Every structure is written in C-alpha cells, then in structure tokens.
Amino acid sequence: MNTEILRIDRKNPDEEGIEKAGQIIKSGGLVAFPTETVYGLGGDALNPTSSRKIYEAKGRPSDNPLIVHIADFDDIKRIASLDDDEYTIEDVSKKAKKLADLFWPGPMTIILNKTDAVPYETTGGLDTVAIRMPSDEVARDFITAAGGYVAAPSANLSGRPSPTRASHVIEDLNDRIDMIIDGGDVDIGLESTIVDLTGDRPLILRPGAITALDLAQVLEDIDYDPGIISADSKEAPKAPGMKYRHYAPKGELTVVRGEDSKVTEYINECAERDKHNLIKVGIICSDEHVLRYKAPSVKCAGKLGDETMVAHRLYSILREFDEEDVEVIYSESFEGGNLGRAVMNRLLKAAGQKIIDIDKI
Ligand code: AMP
Ligand code: MG
C-alpha cells in the first residue's frame, strides 16, 4: 500500500486534504494524525473492520483497547451510556461532564460504560470505552471530517516508543496505512492521562499531563490504579495496555536514581566497563550534566526540573538510540514537577522497571 503524506501548514490548513483524510476513514481506511500528546493511528471507531486493521498495522495484541477520539462533547452520548437510571451511573455522568468542562479539549481520556454502537473490536472485548477530545485543531478538524468517532492508539509499531513527529510514523508504518497527516512536532510528547470512572472510585490508569492534583478539583477521591504505582507491584494494571512492555528502545535501559554526583560516578563506571567490553553505550541526562559524562552518545533531555521538556524529548531520544544501534542505555531519573510522574512512568516502562537506587547500595 502506498502511504500518502499530507503536510499541513498550521497557519493555512489544507481543508481539502483534511476532507480527503476524513473520507479515507469513512471508507474503512487508516490515517495517522497529530494530536497534542503523540501521533495517533486513526480508523472508524464504529466499524469493527477498521479497528481490526489498526491492530494489524501496529502488530498490537487485540486485547489492548483503543481510545475513541471525538471533536464535540455531545457526540459522547452515542458511545457512552450516561443515561442509566442507577444513581451511581448518574453520578458518573455528572463527573464526566465536569471533567470535560475543565480538561477537554485536552490530554485526558475518560473510561465510561460503552453503548452497543461501539464494537468490541474497538474496546478489546471490554464493556467500557475510552474517550478523548484532543485540543490539536488539525486533529479535531480531521475527526469531524471522519464522521466524529476516530479510534486511535499511538501510531507506532507495538512496543516501540510513541511517535512525536511524522517521521517517526513513517519509520514504523510507511506502506502499512493509507495516509499520514504531518502537522509537525507534537506539543506534549507523552500519552494522555487515563481516568476510569466505571469503578467504585475514580482511578488514574495512566499518568499524563493532567495530574492527580488537577483531577482532584472534580474528583476528591481520585487515586492511582495500584497496578501502576510501584515498579514491583504484583497487581495487574487496569488499563490492559499498561501490562505490555512499552515505549521501549532496542537497547537495554537502566534508570539510576539518587544523589547527583554519585549517579554520575556510577553511570560513568558502568559506561567505561561496557565500552571496554565493546558494548555501544548511550546516556540520557539533564542539560546541566552533559559535560560530566564520557560515553560516545550522551543525550540531553532538558534542564534540571524541566519535566515538560523531558516529556517533549523522551521518545525522540529513545528512537535516536535505536538508529545509532546503542545496546545499553543509562538514564538519570527525572522526578518532580507536574509531568514528572508521567515521565517516570514511561521511562520505567521503557526500562522494564530496571532502576538502581544509588543511595541504597
Ligand atoms: P494508546 O492508544 O497506545 O495510548 O493506548 C491506549 C491505552 O488506553 C492503553 O493502555 C489501553 O489499555 C487503555 N484503554 C483503552 N480503553 C480502555 C478501557 N476501556 N479500559 C481501560 N483501559 C483502556
Ligand atoms: Mg501506545
């Protein structure tokens, strides 16, 4: 299949091109598109064949549900059952509305009970559906042109870091999908916060740019899914996708946490040893620390404390290491800040939860 690339000038968007992209979705095809979080791989969310095609193009296990993207809050009614007369559901629908008022359009996904309009192919067999309204205007125009319901996971091959620019999508999915809308670099660079409203209490299934503190404005009893809290948690995460190795570079990644100078010393020792053994080493560090390291490939993720920049650069950096055939990667730890939690969640998943606590050894 020949993949068409549609370049969008954000100051002067190509309406005809977007209309064509929408038609591709309506006729059962697949289009990758930019959002403020990462690039998505879109298909018609209400068409089971389209969802099957998404899993096939990504090589994604079909029990890993897709997020349905909408462009208009009222469209939620067709896909989420908000009108059940049970008190708890009523309550949920009020919460969903309040969350949407505050954080949509934006990087937050809500899980609600699904209606029959949503095929099980889209929800990975679940009775619940994940819904998001992105703030990226190109994304919203495309969703509208596509009929209002676009199922979209991240537009990468399963297991690879999510794409934050069109060239990443081309690397993974060229010739496997009908079109890629190139809207330039994304804004945030990490996937949306997922909030599950279907249980006894609201839970964050995946941390993102909308933090627990943000959500607490609406959901006083918000908590994290125990399955994602700690590296050694025995509980399975509630978002089925979080159980898979994810966001992973080809090289073996280890995160090193602790007192600044000790972290540097430890990483340099490891890098020296690996170099001696002819292993290709890469290092991820804050901008301020770059001159401390001696490995051939040292990448700056952002200034100390600037987790927004680290989020923005992380997936690109992991892909660059792949291109350089780096075999072993050491990363400083990036905690704190609004996005710190999400950054560490992705970094640790990419590392297969391998973290060295330098102050404890
Ligand atoms: P991605 O599209 O790659 O960002 O992945 C979407 C994430 O949303 C995956 O981790 C899914 O497991 C999660 N997800 C989607 N639908 C649901 C659902 N109904 N319940 C729980 N998690 C979901
Ligand atoms: Mg993904």
Side-chain angles (χ1 to χ4, degrees):
M1 177 192 304
N2 188 22
T3 303
E4 184 179 343
I5 313 283
L6 175 70
R7 291 214 165 73
I8 294 288
D9 171 3
R10 285 188 178 266
K11 288 193 200 95
N12 186 18
D14 172 359
E15 281 169 31
E16 261 175 49
I18 297 285
E19 203 49 48
K20 184 175 174 194
Q23 284 304 328
I24 292 175
I25 298 292
K26 283 179 176 166
S27 54
L30 302 185
V31 176
F33 62 103
T35 80
E36 70 278 20
T37 58
V38 299
Y39 272 75
L41 172 58
D44 181 353
L46 308 185
N47 178 349
T49 311
S50 296
S51 292
R52 274 197 292 267
K53 277 194 196 171
I54 292 177
Y55 289 109
E56 203 180 295
K58 274 183 66 95
R60 175 168 171 140
S62 59
D63 65 346
N64 186 359
L66 311 175
I67 294 173
V68 179
H69 292 69
I70 58 173
D72 185 343
F73 183 78
D74 284 341
D75 289 346
I76 203 174
K77 289 179 191 140
R78 185 154 164 216
I79 55 174
S81 54
L82 297 171
D83 297 322
D84 197 300
D85 52 13
E86 272 184 53
Y87 168 74
T88 51
I89 302 291
E90 280 256 302
D91 199 36
V92 163
S93 87
K94 275 186 217 139
K95 284 179 185 163
K97 178 79 177 80
K98 276 196 203 156
L99 283 176
D101 283 347
L102 267 182
F103 303 116
W104 275 357
M108 175 192 67
T109 297
I110 308 180
I111 312 275
L112 293 165
N113 289 313
K114 81 174 192 74
T115 62
D116 292 341
V118 188
Y120 283 112
E121 281 79 357
T122 300
T123 66
L126 298 175
D127 288 315
T128 54
V129 59
I131 308 168
R132 181 164 102 84
M133 192 199 299
S135 63
D136 185 302
E137 282 179 18
V138 172
R140 286 219 308 283
D141 288 348
F142 160 65
I143 294 162
T144 305
Y149 301 94
V150 174
S154 48
N156 50 287
L157 283 176
S158 194
R160 293 210 74 203
S162 299
T164 57
R165 56 179 67 137
S167 63
H168 297 162
V169 184
I170 296 172
E171 265 168 42
D172 281 15
L173 298 176
N174 200 25
D175 295 337
R176 299 170 79 103
I177 60 177
D178 299 284
M179 185 190 263
I180 297 170
I181 303 176
D182 180 352
D185 276 19
V186 301
D187 181 19
I188 298 170
L190 294 183
E191 302 80 355
S192 58
T193 306
I194 303 182
V195 189
D196 185 359
L197 292 180
T198 64
D200 294 338
R201 61 183 302 191
L203 287 179
I204 296 175
L205 306 192
R206 177 173 73 185
I210 305 291
T211 64
L213 206 62
D214 294 327
L215 296 168
Q217 293 174 57
V218 175
L219 309 167
E220 285 157 25
D221 51 347
I222 186 77
D223 205 349
Y224 286 96
D225 169 14
I228 62 164
I229 279 205
S230 73
D232 51 9
S233 174
K234 300 276 181 297
E235 273 189 69
K238 289 206 170 57
M242 299 300 278
K243 73 176 180 239
Y244 294 104
R245 184 162 182 257
H246 237 138
Y247 325 115
K250 290 178 196 142
E252 195 185 326
L253 170 64
T254 304
V255 181
V256 186
R257 171 164 64 190
E259 200 265 315
D260 234 35
S261 59
K262 283 195 200 156
V263 168
T264 307
E265 197 183 324
Y266 181 86
I267 292 181
N268 272 334
E269 268 172 33
C270 294
E272 198 54 44
R273 186 196 58 217
D274 293 339
K275 222 165 72 187
H276 184 75
N277 291 327
L278 303 179
I279 294 169
K280 208 162 176 201
V281 185
I283 292 171
I284 308 175
C285 64
S286 60
D287 296 359
E288 288 86 344
H289 294 166
V290 65
L291 295 176
R292 299 178 175 188
Y293 293 104
K294 301 184 206 100
S297 184
V298 182
K299 304 210 187 278
C300 303
K303 287 200 168 62
L304 278 172
D306 185 0
E307 274 73 29
T308 306
M309 186 51 77
V310 182
H312 191 72
R313 289 190 189 158
L314 180 64
Y315 289 146
S316 261
I317 289 177
L318 296 178
R319 279 178 181 264
E320 283 166 27
F321 282 136
D322 283 356
E323 265 164 42
E324 296 166 17
D325 292 319
V326 165
E327 295 163 282
V328 169
I329 305 162
Y330 300 98
S331 176
E332 294 182 344
S333 171
F334 298 95
E335 277 140 315
N338 282 343
L339 261 166
R341 183 133 199 164
V343 166
M344 285 309 287
N345 171 269
R346 305 312 194 278
L347 192 59
L348 284 172
K349 274 196 90 63
Q353 307 296 340
K354 246 176 83 190
I355 185 159
I356 308 273
D357 253 308
I358 207 81
D359 299 332
K360 293 189 189 148
I361 54 175

